Amino acid sequence: MKKIIFALVFTMLVTSGFAQILATANSPEYKNILKMSASLFTRNTFQMGYERFFNPNTSFVLAAGMSFKDSDYEKVWGVRTEAQMKFHVYTIVKPDQSHRLYFAPYLLNEYYETEGTQYDNYGNSYWQTESFDAFGGGMLFGWSFSFANRINLDIYTGGGLRKTFNYDNTDNDYYYDNGVFDYAYSGISPRLGIDVGFWF
């Protein structure tokens, strides 16, 4: 069994060393994409990612981001990390652009510290603090479009399961777990995103 695993890993490394990955047919050989998630700005999150191609049909993505919001009624701080294994099932490389369709299983981890305005029985306001972790995994399906030799646009959708741990809303009137896009939500979670990247 160990010999089989070693042979598979060795084969992937050797193929990745000689595989030619082109953003477009007119561009030099690139195997990496540095990307930023434009869609996560809507959730007060700045996330950067790194994608590495092992061969023309397989790549690995590692991403990390930070969430921050400071308003009169809500304060949020958090970090998120994500890993994806992309399998490109359809690829067309043209002289000035390329198209890749892929599916990608993913794992996701998030940590949040939240504060919301609460009111006691006498109408006095105070801040209620919570901190919790969330873990998730699922599947994405996307379209990766490259143009201008180095620019990459990645549009994807999908979803999976998300579970929040260490969250206690017993005395919390300001709920963070009511909907699928709330910070402490547990359940089936949809995904829809746009990443903008740069080949190198």
Side-chain angles (χ1 to χ4, degrees), residues 132-156:
F132 48 88
D133 293 284
F135 295 92
M139 184 71 69
L140 300 176
F141 178 77
W143 170 56
S144 178
F145 172 59
S146 298
F147 59 97
N149 289 338
R150 285 198 170 192
I151 308 301
N152 180 258
L153 184 65
D154 193 346
I155 301 172
Y156 55 87

Side-chain angles (χ1 to χ4, degrees), residues 128-179:
Q128 175 76 28
T129 303
E130 294 283 351
S131 61
F132 48 88
D133 293 284
F135 295 92
M139 184 71 69
L140 300 176
F141 178 77
W143 170 56
S144 178
F145 172 59
S146 298
F147 59 97
N149 289 338
R150 285 198 170 192
I151 308 301
N152 180 258
L153 184 65
D154 193 346
I155 301 172
Y156 55 87
T157 187
L161 183 65
R162 186 179 191 269
K163 175 63 178 172
T164 301
F165 298 91
N166 307 319
Y167 177 67
D168 180 17
N169 65 356
T170 308
D171 300 318
N172 194 351
D173 297 327
Y174 197 93
Y175 293 113
Y176 293 96
D177 61 349
N178 287 336

Side-chain angles (χ1 to χ4, degrees), residues 47-157:
Q47 176 174 289
M48 296 293 292
Y50 169 73
E51 181 172 359
R52 169 71 177 180
F53 277 80
F54 299 116
N55 56 58
N57 300 318
T58 311
S59 63
F60 179 76
V61 179
L62 188 61
M66 185 180 76
S67 301
F68 181 72
K69 182 179 181 180
D70 190 354
S71 69
D72 293 338
Y73 305 101
E74 180 184 32
K75 300 179 188 300
V76 177
W77 180 87
V79 293
R80 77 191 309 269
T81 55
E82 181 175 359
Q84 301 174 10
M85 194 69 186
K86 284 187 174 183
F87 300 96
H88 303 266
V89 294
Y90 179 76
T91 301
I92 293 182
V93 179
K94 297 182 178 181
D96 56 351
Q97 63 186 18
S98 67
H99 303 270
R100 292 176 170 86
L101 295 179
Y102 67 86
F103 67 92
Y106 72 89
L107 291 174
L108 176 67
N109 170 242
E110 297 173 298
Y111 171 78
Y112 286 106
E113 292 180 1
T114 60
E115 291 183 75
T117 305
Q118 306 295 312
Y119 296 91
D120 61 20
N121 295 331
Y122 303 101
N124 300 315
S125 65
Y126 64 97
W127 287 96
Q128 175 76 28
T129 303
E130 294 283 351
S131 61
F132 48 88
D133 293 284
F135 295 92
M139 184 71 69
L140 300 176
F141 178 77
W143 170 56
S144 178
F145 172 59
S146 298
F147 59 97
N149 289 338
R150 285 198 170 192
I151 308 301
N152 180 258
L153 184 65
D154 193 346
I155 301 172
Y156 55 87
T157 187

Side-chain angles (χ1 to χ4, degrees), residues 17-70:
F18 297 103
Q20 189 177 31
I21 313 297
L22 298 176
T24 67
N26 289 334
S27 67
E29 181 182 351
Y30 300 119
K31 294 185 180 180
N32 309 286
I33 304 177
L34 182 65
K35 53 179 58 184
M36 177 185 64
S37 177
S39 54
L40 283 177
F41 284 129
T42 61
R43 291 183 52 79
N44 308 296
T45 301
F46 176 75
Q47 176 174 289
M48 296 293 292
Y50 169 73
E51 181 172 359
R52 169 71 177 180
F53 277 80
F54 299 116
N55 56 58
N57 300 318
T58 311
S59 63
F60 179 76
V61 179
L62 188 61
M66 185 180 76
S67 301
F68 181 72
K69 182 179 181 180
D70 190 354

